[in-house]
């Protein structure tokens, strides 16, 4: 289902490109590769732009363009996408017990591995977007050229 959104001002249009994540999500996501974190951020951007959708489709071609990388990184994208299946957030509870929460309910790929469809979990949806406290926000374009997982998280 697609909705037509009309923007009343340039400020509203810019708000659509704003990434907002809870600090809990930032501190507890197990990203160890820059490209993995950038793809995750791109998925969050798509969720922010279209919050009413159930799932979000992203093409590898679109990723290479939006991340300003070369198409010869296609193999790297495929390898990274294979790691997205296993992403879990680990949260420590007060009694030294740990709870794991999935970021995605499901991720589908087409037979050519050129498109991926992400279905975010409720946990992910609760930790992005319209947060009132304990969050970090930045524009997607500001992280494209960063080369460290830690610089993106900060």
């Amino acid at each position: 289902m697609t909705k037509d959104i009309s923007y009343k001002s340039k400020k509203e249009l810019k708000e659509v490109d704003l990434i907002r994540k809870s600090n809990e999500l930032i501190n507890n996501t197990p990203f160890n590769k820059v490209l993995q974190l950038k793809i995750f951020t791109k998925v969050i951007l798509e969720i922010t732009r279209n919050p009413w959708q159930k799932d979000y489709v992203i093409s590898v071609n679109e990723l290479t363009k939006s991340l300003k990388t070369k198409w010869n990184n296609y193999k790297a994208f495929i390898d990274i996408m294979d790691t997205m299946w296993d992403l879990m957030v680990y949260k420590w509870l007060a009694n030294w017990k740990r709870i794991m929460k999935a970021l995605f309910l499901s991720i589908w790929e087409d037979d050519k591995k050129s498109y991926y469809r992400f279905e975010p979990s409720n946990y992910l949806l609760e930790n992005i977007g319209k947060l009132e406290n304990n969050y970090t926000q930045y524009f997607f374009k500001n992280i494209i050229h960063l080369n460290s997982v830690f610089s993106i998280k900060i």
Side-chain angles (χ1 to χ4, degrees):
M1 180 178 173
T2 306
K3 284 188 178 180
D4 180 31
I5 301 175
S6 59
Y7 298 99
K8 297 177 182 172
S9 70
K10 288 182 181 179
K11 182 180 177 188
E12 286 181 337
L13 182 60
K14 290 179 183 175
E15 284 287 319
V16 175
D17 291 332
L18 187 65
I19 304 292
R20 185 176 291 167
K21 298 189 277 189
S22 72
N23 292 338
E24 176 182 314
L25 185 63
I26 291 169
N27 294 332
N28 294 319
T29 47
F31 297 109
N32 55 12
K33 296 185 176 159
V34 175
L35 190 55
Q36 188 182 41
L37 184 52
K38 287 180 180 181
I39 290 170
F40 178 66
T41 304
K42 177 66 174 167
V43 173
I44 290 176
L45 180 63
E46 293 304 315
I47 295 169
T48 303
R49 287 178 174 167
N50 306 297
W52 56 84
Q53 287 183 206
K54 182 182 176 198
D55 51 40
Y56 303 86
V57 177
I58 297 178
S59 74
V60 174
N61 189 26
E62 177 189 336
L63 280 171
T64 58
K65 288 178 184 174
S66 65
L67 298 178
K68 299 187 187 308
T69 187
K70 296 177 182 160
W71 182 250
N72 63 2
N73 282 344
Y74 179 77
K75 175 77 171 105
F77 277 110
I78 300 305
D79 291 344
I80 291 295
M81 292 307 296
D82 287 343
T83 67
M84 299 294 277
W85 302 95
D86 302 323
L87 287 178
M88 301 288 279
V89 172
Y90 299 94
K91 185 175 177 183
W92 290 96
L93 304 176
N95 55 2
W96 289 97
K97 292 184 180 178
R98 170 171 86 160
I99 186 169
M100 296 186 306
K101 296 190 176 200
L103 295 174
F104 302 103
L105 296 177
S106 58
I107 301 174
W108 299 282
E109 62 186 7
D110 70 342
D111 57 344
K112 296 177 184 176
K113 292 190 175 188
S114 58
Y115 287 90
Y116 289 86
R117 181 180 307 237
F118 295 86
E119 183 180 358
S121 67
N122 286 336
Y123 175 79
L124 179 57
L125 294 174
E126 292 166 1
N127 283 280
I128 61 174
K130 298 186 180 197
L131 301 168
E132 295 184 16
N133 53 27
N134 296 324
Y135 66 87
T136 301
Q137 66 182 17
Y138 51 85
F139 287 100
F140 182 70
K141 67 179 182 175
N142 293 341
I143 67 154
I144 293 171
H145 301 291
L146 298 177
N147 295 318
S148 163
V149 170
F150 300 108
S151 61
I152 294 172
K153 283 186 171 187
I154 296 173

